[in-house]
Amino acid sequence: MSVSTTCSCRSTEIGTAMSYKVEIILKDTVSTIGEAPHWDDVTQTLLYVDMYNGEVHRYDPVTGEEDVLGLNGVLGFVVPRSKGGLVVGLGQAFAAVDWETKTVTKLAETDPGTQNHRLNDGKCDPRGRVWGGTMEDDFKLNEGSLYCLDTDGSVSRKQDKVTISNGLAWSPDNKTMYYIDTSPRQVYAYDFDIESGGISNRRVVGNFNDLPELSSKDVLGPDGMTIDTEGNLWVACFGGGCVAKIDPNTGKLLQKVDIPNATRITSVCWGGKNLDELYVTSLRMKPNSKLTVIDTLDGAVFRVTGLGARGRPADVYRG
């Protein structure tokens, strides 16, 4: 369902006041968890998944039309592939998908020998590798890992002892990778070797426990994430009904963007012709769990404009 409801808001920005506009572009579009938005710069469309419904959604903001591709399994993320088609996190596997034929081809498995594990979020690095993290579906501590699918089809584990693998982003100079594990409520940075895909020197650059505006027990933690051209992180606050702009150099909260009537914000990405529109996804409910609708717009997709920031074109899988 495509709608055109807007809300003019005033953000909480440290030191100044700034107005922005929140539009509800899709209401009741997902029945479970809206996740992993990706702006396709080639087609000028928004991709995202309805996780437990096994659907890839493709929204055209010009026509207002949305196409849906149903797959058999839990979907953690979707990214375009340079040679055509898509790559998704399907259960525990990285998989290639042809939208027209609905053909699904598994590329690599993760977390071998485990049960009840799945890929939760994923994104491509500037060299066209796909990164995706796993988690145990009942949130068991330290059961997940962060993986990288290289362009030659090989897969490697980059980080273990992860609980709820989530947002990924790379700095404008491609020297730093940012990564979120929701459970400890922290945003991490790693030194990133763009040639090899190696990561090292993990440190905390955003700690929700130390930020008064985000330390409430209602804010369960950081979820999905994107980055702007100035290197600031924009982090979805699950349970907090907002997006936090964080300076990774200082760990300080620069701005808090409220999303009215939607509490469980899951992820964000930059989109639009000038990449200055922030698209925001949210959770409606998780089957067989306590994560059910608690706010009137949970499950909607939003577009935020007037933020005075923009992103870079999102990378795609080049394998």
Side-chain angles (χ1 to χ4, degrees):
M1 177 182 178
S2 179
V3 299
S4 182
T5 303
T6 64
C7 173
S8 295
C9 307
R10 187 168 294 273
S11 68
T12 303
E13 184 172 14
I14 307 305
T16 63
M18 178 180 179
S19 297
Y20 59 90
K21 182 172 72 173
V22 179
E23 297 175 80
I24 310 158
I25 60 169
L26 293 163
K27 185 179 180 183
D28 300 327
T29 184
V30 300
S31 59
T32 65
I33 302 177
E35 180 64 281
H38 176 106
W39 181 260
D40 187 335
D41 199 50
V42 175
T43 62
Q44 293 289 292
T45 57
L46 178 73
L47 296 167
Y48 65 98
V49 301
D50 184 348
M51 183 177 288
Y52 287 93
N53 217 25
E55 293 178 345
V56 178
H57 290 237
R58 182 172 61 194
Y59 170 71
D60 185 334
V62 174
T63 65
E65 295 180 355
E66 184 175 50
D67 298 318
V68 179
L69 175 64
L71 301 175
N72 184 23
V74 178
L75 292 174
F77 66 86
V78 57
V79 294
R81 194 177 190 182
S82 61
K83 64 174 62 175
L86 307 167
V87 173
V88 298
L90 181 62
Q92 292 179 213
F94 292 96
V97 177
D98 184 300
W99 188 291
E100 302 304 325
T101 65
K102 299 184 180 180
T103 301
V104 178
T105 305
K106 287 189 177 181
L107 302 175
E109 292 279 353
T110 64
D111 286 359
T114 61
Q115 294 183 341
N116 207 33
H117 283 216
R118 63 173 175 82
L119 284 159
N120 188 54
D121 200 352
K123 197 171 288 186
C124 294
D125 71 22
R127 278 290 185 269
R129 310 174 188 92
V130 183
W131 294 67
T134 61
M135 60 176 285
E136 198 276 336
D137 208 36
D138 291 323
F139 314 115
K140 290 182 180 178
L141 293 176
N142 301 322
E143 288 276 326
S145 297
L146 177 63
Y147 290 88
C148 177
L149 177 67
D150 214 322
T151 54
D152 63 2
S154 63
V155 66
S156 57
R157 187 188 310 227
K158 299 294 188 178
Q159 176 71 58
D160 61 0
K161 297 182 179 179
V162 175
T163 300
I164 305 176
S165 186
N166 255 311
L168 289 153
W170 283 264
S171 61
D173 64 5
N174 297 326
K175 293 181 178 180
T176 305
M177 186 185 85
Y178 301 102
Y179 175 55
I180 288 173
D181 184 356
T182 299
S183 184
R185 297 165 52 83
Q186 293 178 336
V187 183
Y188 300 103
Y190 298 79
D191 294 341
F192 178 66
D193 186 326
I194 191 171
E195 299 303 328
S196 68
I199 56 174
S200 60
N201 187 29
R202 188 174 84 159
R203 64 268 188 197
V204 175
V205 295
N207 190 341
F208 275 35
N209 303 302
D210 294 339
L211 297 172
E213 298 89 347
L214 304 176
S215 61
S216 165
K217 65 179 181 179
D218 295 328
V219 183
L220 300 183
D223 203 316
M225 170 174 59
T226 190
I227 193 168
D228 64 28
T229 55
E230 296 182 353
N232 295 308
L233 302 175
W234 297 74
V235 182
C237 301
F238 189 80
C242 66
V243 177
K245 178 184 179 182
I246 295 174
D247 182 347
N249 296 307
T250 64
K252 293 182 178 180
L253 178 68
L254 301 179
Q255 185 178 354
K256 183 169 169 280
V257 179
D258 291 317
I259 307 297
N261 302 312
T263 302
R264 290 174 170 149
I265 304 303
T266 56
S267 195
V268 292
C269 77
W270 294 106
K273 183 178 180 181
N274 298 314
L275 296 174
D276 58 356
E277 302 169 355
L278 191 69
Y279 284 87
V280 182
T281 54
S282 64
L283 176 150
R284 183 168 178 79
M285 64 178 293
K286 180 182 176 184
N288 303 316
S289 84
K290 296 179 180 179
L291 295 178
T292 57
V293 178
I294 63 172
D295 217 333
T296 55
L297 292 177
D298 281 345
V301 178
F302 304 86
R303 177 171 56 207
V304 187
T305 54
L307 291 169
R310 62 188 300 270
R312 298 183 297 170
D315 294 295
V316 303
Y317 182 52
R318 300 180 195 172

